[in-house]
Amino acid sequence: MLSRTASSLYWLGRYVERADFVSRLVEATVRLDVLSSRPAGEEAWLSALAVTESSDAFNASGATLSQGTVARFLTLDSANPGSIARCVDMARNNARAVRTALTREAWTAINSAWLLFENRATLNGPDATLGLVEATKTETRGFEGAIHRMLRNQTTWFIRLGQAIERADNTARLLDVKYHILLPEGEQVGGVVDRDQWTTILQTVSAVTAYRWLYSEGLRPGNVIDLLLARSELPRSLAASVEETVDILGLLAKRTGLHGEADRMARVRAARVAKTRSSAVIVSGLHQHLQAFIAENDLLHAAIGRQFKFN
């Protein structure tokens, strides 16, 4: 496989996963805003910007902070590199570059997602926002299903590798923002707002039901952290993403013969994550742990590019 083809497939996976994540984040934030007092609602939208690393870009736009302006910035604003519209557009560009490697179902899902945003400039309230992100999630789920029905070869492995790297980054940032900065000043830890926000975290990673199956004590922050850090049963946990990265790199190594820096980094990280206990991480500093994980994930991303000679 040509390196530029591998690169397009990898980035296709990353952009589709990012579009899906931001869609879930916007949906959960809209619902949290509706349930919260106004100060808590504003903090929820600030946290959404922080998770997507777009706070500076939003401030530079000159827009006033509100549900409508932030929702539009995160969904429709093509000037925002992290908006759903921009992610879907970039995913489609990469899909076009490898069109012959994709099935009709996979291409249709990407193109349908792109058509949702074509020539769309406004959102008319929370209901319209929820409708748009739900439609986007439907198409990203369709793409995911199409990928799992394709041949298990380099095409699907590079897409899944991109998804795994992106998913690890998204979950780490989501958990870090909640634990480090989300609760509004004056709000009680363990209060209604705090519980609503932890529920929002679970909703964003589709883990509300999974949490209830795995933990019987009710909603506790320590258990949510444990679920997202260490429980590989949850597909969007850090543990699951780390394991999947190792597995896919191993499959690619067998097929391509390219085995090197990225494989070693991924295995070292997986061994460390397998030994990590969430209770110890909370005591030693969850924020520092997650920041180190995000930085390491970026280094692994760069190593993958070097190993497979991405352009």
Side-chain angles (χ1 to χ4, degrees), residues 21 34 80 84 113 132 153 164 169 175 224:
F21 175 78
V34 170
N80 173 19
I84 303 171
L132 179 61
N153 57 17
D169 185 77
L175 185 55
V224 178

Side-chain angles (χ1 to χ4, degrees), residues 39-57:
E42 290 179 353
E43 288 293 332
W45 287 106
L46 284 172
S47 74
L49 291 170
V51 170
T52 57
E53 288 197 308
S54 51
S55 300
D56 291 342

Side-chain angles (χ1 to χ4, degrees), residues 46 91 100 108 152 156 241:
L46 284 172
T100 57
T108 298
R152 291 177 173 83
T156 56
S241 299

Side-chain angles (χ1 to χ4, degrees), residues 7-305:
S7 177
S8 292
L9 292 167
Y10 174 83
W11 278 108
L12 169 59
R14 288 206 68 160
Y15 280 121
V16 170
E17 184 68 27
R18 193 175 302 175
D20 181 78
F21 175 78
V22 178
S23 296
R24 293 174 183 278
L25 179 65
V26 170
E27 177 186 30
T29 307
V30 169
R31 299 191 188 282
L32 178 61
D33 189 11
V34 170
L35 294 173
S36 301
S37 62
R38 183 166 179 78
E42 290 179 353
E43 288 293 332
W45 287 106
L46 284 172
S47 74
L49 291 170
V51 170
T52 57
E53 288 197 308
S54 51
S55 300
D56 291 342
F58 179 80
N59 293 334
S61 72
T64 303
L65 179 69
S66 69
Q67 182 272 330
T69 57
V70 179
R72 185 191 178 282
F73 186 75
L74 292 176
T75 55
L76 300 178
D77 196 336
S78 59
N80 173 19
S83 72
I84 303 171
R86 185 71 174 273
C87 291
V88 169
D89 186 55
M90 294 300 295
R92 185 174 183 266
N93 288 341
N94 281 285
R96 287 179 64 185
V98 294
R99 176 65 185 87
T100 57
L102 302 176
T103 61
R104 177 180 297 179
E105 290 81 6
W107 167 255
T108 298
I110 293 294
N111 199 52
S112 296
W114 181 79
L115 289 172
L116 291 172
F117 295 89
E118 187 182 23
N119 299 322
R120 185 164 187 167
T122 59
L123 291 170
N124 297 315
D127 289 341
T129 302
L130 291 175
L132 179 61
V133 297
E134 184 59 39
T136 304
K137 286 163 51 185
T138 297
E139 300 303 340
T140 56
R141 286 195 299 266
F143 176 79
E144 181 84 17
I147 293 304
H148 281 283
R149 291 188 296 272
M150 287 171 55
L151 289 173
R152 291 177 173 83
N153 57 17
Q154 293 179 64
T155 296
T156 56
W157 295 334
F158 274 115
I159 292 172
R160 288 177 55 204
L161 181 60
Q163 289 176 315
I165 293 294
E166 182 68 29
R167 192 176 302 127
D169 185 77
N170 291 337
T171 299
R173 293 184 189 281
L174 179 70
L175 185 55
D176 187 37
V177 167
K178 164 56 194 157
Y179 193 79
H180 192 58
I181 67 171
L182 183 56
L183 191 63
E185 184 177 355
E187 291 289 345
Q188 181 182 0
V189 175
V192 174
V193 172
D194 194 37
R195 290 197 303 272
D196 286 346
Q197 290 175 346
W198 283 112
T199 301
T200 298
I201 300 301
L202 293 174
Q203 290 171 341
T204 304
V205 295
S206 300
V208 174
T209 301
Y211 181 89
R212 291 169 181 164
W213 283 344
L214 293 171
Y215 304 94
S216 59
E217 302 93 336
L219 185 63
R220 293 185 179 179
N223 288 342
V224 178
I225 293 168
D226 180 66
L227 178 65
L228 297 186
L229 281 185
R231 298 300 293 260
S232 58
E233 303 99 308
L234 182 70
R236 287 185 170 86
S237 71
L238 298 189
S241 299
V242 164
E243 287 182 6
E244 186 174 6
T245 301
V246 172
D247 292 343
I248 297 170
L249 284 170
L251 292 169
L252 286 168
K254 290 179 182 179
R255 181 63 60 89
T256 66
L258 294 174
H259 184 280
E261 178 188 9
D263 297 85
R264 291 189 293 272
M265 289 178 64
R267 288 197 304 270
V268 168
R269 182 176 70 165
R272 185 175 62 255
V273 169
K275 298 176 182 178
T276 299
R277 297 294 175 264
S278 57
S279 56
V281 169
I282 293 171
V283 171
S284 62
L286 180 63
H287 173 62
Q288 291 77 10
H289 177 85
L290 292 169
Q291 285 293 303
F293 181 91
I294 291 168
E296 185 179 28
N297 199 60
D298 287 342
L299 291 174
L300 179 55
H301 158 72
I304 289 170

